[in-house]
Amino acid sequence: DAGVIQSPRHEVTEMGQEVTLRCKPISGHDYLFWYRQTMMRGLELLIYFNNNVPIDDSGMPEDRFSAKMPNASFSTLKIQPSEPRDSAVYFCASRYRQGGEKLFFGSGTQLSVL
Amino acid sequence: QQPVQSPQAVILREGEDAVINCSSSKALYSVHWYRQKHGEAPVFLMILLKGGEQKGHEKISASFNEKKQQSSLYLTASQLSYSGTYFCGTARAGGGADGLTFGKGTHLIIQP
């Protein structure tokens, strides 16, 4: 199993630009989560999906953030326009409900907004 | 509500024991423990469900006191490989229907 795959690993962009982060969950997993990690706040849950449907997006900080899951094998997190305070590591994680509640994390995307 | 972890950091010599605590102000269904090494993704250690059970894997074990909404992670005879940041994650609903809320983490440094 390839695990959860995220791309890109690193993203450097300028303030005001659009940023798109990508995630491929583990095949067969029916839950997908987006987390943001910073030194100040730790790991924050942004949004999660069940069977491609957004369940809870209360952690999305602003309207500049949006997430989609068009099918079971792909999700995106978009920031438009990006700001320096969005700089963080963004993790995608997936889980199979019938397999317990263990989360499998991707390697993360290190985002730097200049 | 983010769970509170203590201590924030701990430095040990190889072979010493450590305890990491996690507490919540909300009633919990389960507590999860993850370890993250620098530059890597968090990796699952164990899940504890309400009922006060204690789980263990080799020299790492944990307990969960649902009445106090507290969990503790015990690392016995620590090894160099135990270094990293430990996170507790809490869920208020069961059945996989809830996202985990993580604490800010405890940095563990094991010295030879």
Side-chain angles (χ1 to χ4, degrees):
Chain A
D1 197 331
V4 177
I5 299 173
Q6 290 187 246
S7 64
R9 283 299 308 272
H10 303 275
E11 177 79 39
V12 180
T13 189
E14 292 187 347
M15 183 173 62
Q17 296 297 306
E18 177 179 296
V19 176
T20 300
L21 312 180
R22 297 171 176 79
C23 175
K24 176 180 170 56
I26 293 174
S27 177
H29 282 195
D30 51 358
Y31 279 84
L32 184 140
F33 302 81
W34 282 101
Y35 282 90
R36 177 172 68 176
Q37 186 175 36
T38 61
M39 289 294 293
M40 289 296 294
R41 295 174 179 266
L43 274 165
E44 298 176 275
L45 176 62
L46 300 178
I47 184 171
Y48 74 95
F49 297 82
N50 175 222
N51 292 323
N52 314 336
V53 176
I55 302 300
D56 186 354
D57 64 354
S58 60
M60 298 283 263
E62 300 171 33
D63 291 344
R64 299 184 295 105
F65 286 70
S66 62
K68 294 182 179 179
M69 191 165 186
N71 56 62
S73 60
F74 183 66
S75 176
T76 60
L77 179 67
K78 186 177 293 185
I79 307 172
Q80 166 63 20
S82 58
E83 297 182 3
R85 59 192 168 127
D86 300 332
S87 297
V89 180
Y90 290 81
F91 286 104
C92 174
S94 69
R95 174 176 84 198
Y96 176 49
R97 180 169 180 165
Q98 296 304 320
E101 300 181 15
K102 175 181 176 181
L103 279 178
F104 294 82
F105 283 84
S107 298
T109 295
Q110 173 77 59
L111 174 64
S112 298
V113 183
L114 307 177
Chain B
Q1 192 83 16
Q2 189 175 39
V4 177
Q5 288 187 234
S6 63
Q8 289 186 321
V10 58
I11 300 174
L12 297 175
R13 293 285 183 189
E14 196 173 8
E16 293 181 335
D17 301 340
V19 179
I20 299 172
N21 300 303
C22 174
S23 64
S24 174
S25 59
K26 303 286 187 181
L28 301 175
Y29 174 81
S30 63
V31 178
H32 307 225
W33 287 96
Y34 287 76
R35 178 172 63 205
Q36 183 180 31
K37 293 190 178 286
H38 183 68
E40 299 180 7
V43 175
F44 170 82
L45 292 176
M46 64 186 75
I47 293 174
L48 299 103
L49 304 178
K50 65 178 181 179
E53 65 179 294
Q54 183 156 347
K55 281 196 166 185
H57 176 66
E58 295 183 347
K59 296 178 181 177
I60 300 177
S61 62
S63 62
F64 177 28
N65 186 324
E66 64 184 271
K67 290 184 179 179
K68 295 184 177 180
Q69 289 106 244
Q70 294 176 346
S71 177
S72 294
L73 185 71
Y74 307 93
L75 298 100
T76 306
S78 57
Q79 306 169 11
L80 294 176
S81 61
Y82 288 0
S83 292
T85 302
Y86 289 78
F87 293 95
C88 70
T90 56
R92 289 188 286 148
D98 195 11
L100 289 181
T101 302
F102 286 96
K104 290 187 177 181
T106 296
H107 302 283
L108 178 64
I109 299 172
I110 309 296
Q111 296 178 336

